[in-house]
Amino acid sequence: AQSVTQPDIHITVSEGASLELRCNYSYGATPYLFWYVQSPGQGLQLLLKYFSGDTLVQGIKGFEAEFKRSQSSFNLRKPSVHWSDAAEYFCAVVKEYGNKLVFGAGTILRVKS
Amino acid sequence: DAGVTQSPTHLIKTRGQQVTLRCSPKSGHDTVSWYQQALGQGPQFIFQYYEEEERQRGNFPDRFSGHQFPNYSSELNVNALLLGDSALYLCASSSKIRDIFNEQFFGPGTRLTVL
């Protein structure tokens, strides 16, 4: 069965500092991978997705993620965090595009000024 | 272009009651998926509807049921509510093109509180 692990429950970074959120997945083949962001009381917004090809994918709001097959990881990065990035971030995997998403438990990002 | 809409925004029920949540998909989408997000957890897949039929189901009891209407909108019904059903219920819509389901777009969710 597919599973997603986000090892960090909370992360605090200073505004302007770089960010990396970790995600590890368990799946036999190359899955479709996603990062979503959720602001308090809101639904999920897709930041970026990986299907195949270039292992470094660019998303919205200046985010990027790198797929590393050897490490079964899909970590999310941003070079310079803004206070508005404070939210909860979810990594998700799907076996077939559009099929049911399997989410990690999420990482809450706090940004200090 | 309206995105995915859900109603109501918030709902309070008592144990044993029944509840119906509603979802209207994004324009042009024909597939609706429902997810339950308990506090402090990631969303968990409940089921997916396409062509008015349940196509996939997650690990949820039969108390959870759904329906899809000809206009592609959908309802989620939960019977005999338990305290543990308190959660944010998210609806996601997508389209099926050439036998491939495409990206899911999420609504803002319905916050259900069971007392």
Side-chain angles (χ1 to χ4, degrees), chain B residues 14-27:
Chain B
T14 56
R15 281 178 296 174
Q17 285 189 311
Q18 178 264 345
V19 69
T20 297
L21 311 181
R22 296 177 175 81
C23 171
S24 292
K26 183 177 170 65
S27 178

Side-chain angles (χ1 to χ4, degrees), chain B residues 54-110:
Chain B
E54 183 181 294
R55 298 292 175 167
Q56 298 182 75
R57 190 177 182 91
N59 190 25
F60 279 80
D62 291 344
R63 297 187 297 109
F64 289 77
S65 64
H67 188 77
Q68 185 179 35
F69 298 93
N71 67 352
Y72 309 121
S73 66
S74 176
E75 288 182 349
L76 164 64
N77 301 292
V78 187
N79 294 322
L81 284 167
L82 303 174
L83 295 179
D85 295 331
S86 295
L88 180 68
Y89 288 84
L90 296 165
C91 170
S93 74
S94 56
S95 62
K96 186 178 183 184
I97 302 174
R98 294 190 299 275
D99 293 327
I100 299 173
F101 289 101
N102 291 287
E103 177 183 330
Q104 298 182 37
F105 289 79
F106 284 83
T110 293

Side-chain angles (χ1 to χ4, degrees), chain A residues 20-77:
Chain A
E20 182 169 28
L21 302 182
R22 297 183 290 165
C23 172
N24 293 96
Y25 66 91
S26 171
Y27 181 60
T30 300
Y32 297 110
L33 294 159
F34 304 81
W35 274 99
Y36 286 88
V37 62
Q38 185 177 39
S39 298
Q42 302 296 314
L44 298 169
Q45 182 182 22
L46 180 66
L47 286 175
L48 47 77
K49 57 193 176 188
Y50 173 78
F51 299 147
S52 63
D54 192 349
T55 57
L56 184 64
V57 293
Q58 302 297 322
I60 62 171
K61 305 185 180 186
F63 285 93
E64 66 177 27
E66 186 172 13
F67 170 63
K68 293 186 178 180
R69 184 191 304 275
S70 61
Q71 298 177 18
S72 297
S73 70
F74 187 56
N75 293 348
L76 182 71
R77 301 194 295 246

